[in-house]
């Protein structure tokens, strides 16, 4: 079974890549996905993610946004503050001359849309449920041997199978892991007052608290905290949970009315030591998994996808050395800058050492009144890089 590209992993990054390769480059693509029901896929779970303006523009370019937009919530402004201190800053779409700063989508909704599009695309074959068991690299191609016994031949295999990539394991591509010693507590919060399409990033002594606007006057909560605090939080009843969150966040959104089911995961930077191997490329969380601070994870991953699509369009053989070398070169600066920015923000704003507290608040205040400093940070936050 011969393909131009075999994509291992059919969640956000893998599905976006497969559909874009079909539509933009007319490539014949196989997608290998282990989980048949997209609603039970960890990549399409109950979480919501913030798509930057740049990511929305890319999805528009690939003809995917129209199907996602009806269930998305626009972000019109972003408020950034440090709990208990004077400084704050933020971005506003109108002031920047933009229609929006980004959009919040629920992964379960996107999963349903993507699964249908993968099944209907004539250039794409979906092997699901199935998984890769062996990868055989040849000079002119590569073979993916699946658990079902099927062998897929291609010019290129793309690993889009998450931080614990099976592809990376098979070809022994290692990664570095930086443990932030924090966990993310995830939940949906119902508000008493309208959110007015405003997103919030609030830095606290325990870690960042992010609230993203959603449909039905809800907010998606990402509350970063230590493991000991997480165990406490998971034992709280709803009333205590809302009270503790209200105390940590404040009253900018009025009273928190209700909380949905809770989920959590440890926060680490997983960074693949290399983005390419012989006829293999890594994208999305298989390439790097970031701390959720500043919401850069998927937005960095979709830029991996966009770069690979742009480069693959220029080559008949998408797995040849020149193609993968160009992909690697074009991704290096953005990848390094984004990983460094998110890791630095975690350490700066999760530190209660007094000189650091003073310095970061001065930094926020200066940033808010110095437009010359804002450009690069705003562009990266908006995905316009």
């Amino acid at each position: 079974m011969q393909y131009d590209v075999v994509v291992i992993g059919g969640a956000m990054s893998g599905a976006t890549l497969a559909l874009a390769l079909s539509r933009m480059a007319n490539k014949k693509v196989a997608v290998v996905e282990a989980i048949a029901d997209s609603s039970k896929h960890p990549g399409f779970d109950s979480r919501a993610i913030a798509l930057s303006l740049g990511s929305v523009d890319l999805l528009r370019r690939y003809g995917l946004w129209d199907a996602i937009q009806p269930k998305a919530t626009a972000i019109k402004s972003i408020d950034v503050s440090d709990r208990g201190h004077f400084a704050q800053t933020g971005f506003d779409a109108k002031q920047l001359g933009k229609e929006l700063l980004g959009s919040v989508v629920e992964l379960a909704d996107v999963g349903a849309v993507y699964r249908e599009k993968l099944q209907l695309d004539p250039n794409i074959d979906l092997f699901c449920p199935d998984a890769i068991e062996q990868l055989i690299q040849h000079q002119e191609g590569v073979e993916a041997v699946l658990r079902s016994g099927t062998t897929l031949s291609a010019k290129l295999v793309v690993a889009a199978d998450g931080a614990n990539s099976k592809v990376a394991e098979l070809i022994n591509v290692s990664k570095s892991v930086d443990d932030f010693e924090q966990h993310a507590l995830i939940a949906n919060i119902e508000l008493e007052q309208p959110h007015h399409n405003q997103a919030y990033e609030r830095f606290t002594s325990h870690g960042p608290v992010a609230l993203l606007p959603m449909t039905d006057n809800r907010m998606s909560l990402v509350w970063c905290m230590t493991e000991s605090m997480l165990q406490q939080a998971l034992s709280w009843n709803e009333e205590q949970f809302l009270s503790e969150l209200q105390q940590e966040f404040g009253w900018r959104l009025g009273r928190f009315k209700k909380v949905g089911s809770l989920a959590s995961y440890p926060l680490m930077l997983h960074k693949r030591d290399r983005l390419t191997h012989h006829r293999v490329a890594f994208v999305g969380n298989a390439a790097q998994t970031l701390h959720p601070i500043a919401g850069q994870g998927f937005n960095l991953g979709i830029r991996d996808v966009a770069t690979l699509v742009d480069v693959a369009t220029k080559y008949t053989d998408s797995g040849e050395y020149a193609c993968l070398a160009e992909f690697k070169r074009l991704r290096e600066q953005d990848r390094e800058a984004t990983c460094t920015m998110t890791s630095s923000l975690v350490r700066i704003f999760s530190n209660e050492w007094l000189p650091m507290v003073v310095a970061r608040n001065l930094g926020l205040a200066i940033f808010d009144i110095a437009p010359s400093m804002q450009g690069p940070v705003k562009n990266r936050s908006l995905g316009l890089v």
Side-chain angles (χ1 to χ4, degrees), residues 343-359:
S343 297
S344 298
L345 285 173
V346 174
R347 290 185 166 84
I348 291 170
F349 285 96
S350 297
N351 191 322
E352 289 302 291
W353 184 45
L354 183 58
M356 180 65 78
V357 173
V358 173

Side-chain angles (χ1 to χ4, degrees), residues 75 82-83 90 92 94 111 141 144 148 150 163 167 172 177 192 196 225 230 240 266 283 288 300 328 343 353 355:
I75 300 174
D82 193 3
R83 182 179 181 272
D92 184 270
K94 282 186 180 178
S148 62
T150 303
V167 175
N172 198 29
V177 179
E192 199 170 58
H196 300 296
M225 56 184 66
L230 173 68
Q240 186 177 3
V283 300
Q288 64 277 314
L300 178 60
K328 179 184 175 184
S343 297
W353 184 45

Side-chain angles (χ1 to χ4, degrees), residues 196-270:
H196 300 296
N197 297 92
Q198 186 162 22
Y200 294 84
E201 182 96 51
R202 186 141 170 86
F203 300 108
T204 77
S205 58
H206 300 290
V209 176
L211 284 161
L212 304 173
M214 297 172 66
T215 56
D216 303 320
N217 210 40
R218 296 172 300 151
M219 301 289 279
S220 171
L221 168 70
V222 181
W223 190 355
C224 302
M225 56 184 66
T226 61
E227 185 173 4
S228 59
M229 184 178 172
L230 173 68
Q231 297 308 317
Q232 281 186 298
L234 292 173
S235 70
W236 295 333
N237 60 29
E238 183 176 35
E239 182 181 0
Q240 186 177 3
F241 184 93
L242 292 173
S243 174
E244 295 284 349
L245 177 61
Q246 196 86 65
Q247 182 177 343
E248 199 79 351
F249 180 79
W251 293 88
R252 296 177 185 209
L253 282 165
R255 190 174 73 87
F256 296 132
K257 188 176 173 183
K258 188 177 179 181
V259 59
S261 59
L262 306 180
S264 66
Y265 59 92
L267 297 176
M268 304 177 186
L269 169 63
H270 295 257

Side-chain angles (χ1 to χ4, degrees), residues 289-343:
T289 305
L290 307 184
H291 190 287
I293 194 170
Q296 291 296 302
F298 174 70
N299 296 301
L300 178 60
I302 200 174
R303 296 199 295 273
D304 294 340
V305 167
T307 303
L308 188 55
V309 171
D310 288 348
V311 173
T313 303
K314 295 158 48 177
Y315 292 85
T316 303
D317 180 351
S318 304
E320 69 174 271
Y321 176 81
C323 180
L324 293 183
E326 185 174 351
F327 166 71
K328 179 184 175 184
R329 176 180 62 80
L330 291 172
R331 292 307 303 138
E332 281 179 350
Q333 184 176 356
D334 181 22
R335 183 177 187 242
E336 290 301 320
T338 306
C339 289
T340 299
M341 181 187 80
T342 55
S343 297

Side-chain angles (χ1 to χ4, degrees), residues 7-11 13-14 32-33 41 132 158-170 272 281-287:
V7 179
I8 308 299
S13 293
V32 180
E33 172 52 55
H41 196 297
I132 189 169
V158 180
D161 53 345
N164 298 315
S165 168
K166 178 67 173 179
V167 175
E169 178 188 324
L170 289 171
R272 199 64 57 190
F282 294 89
V283 300
N285 285 345

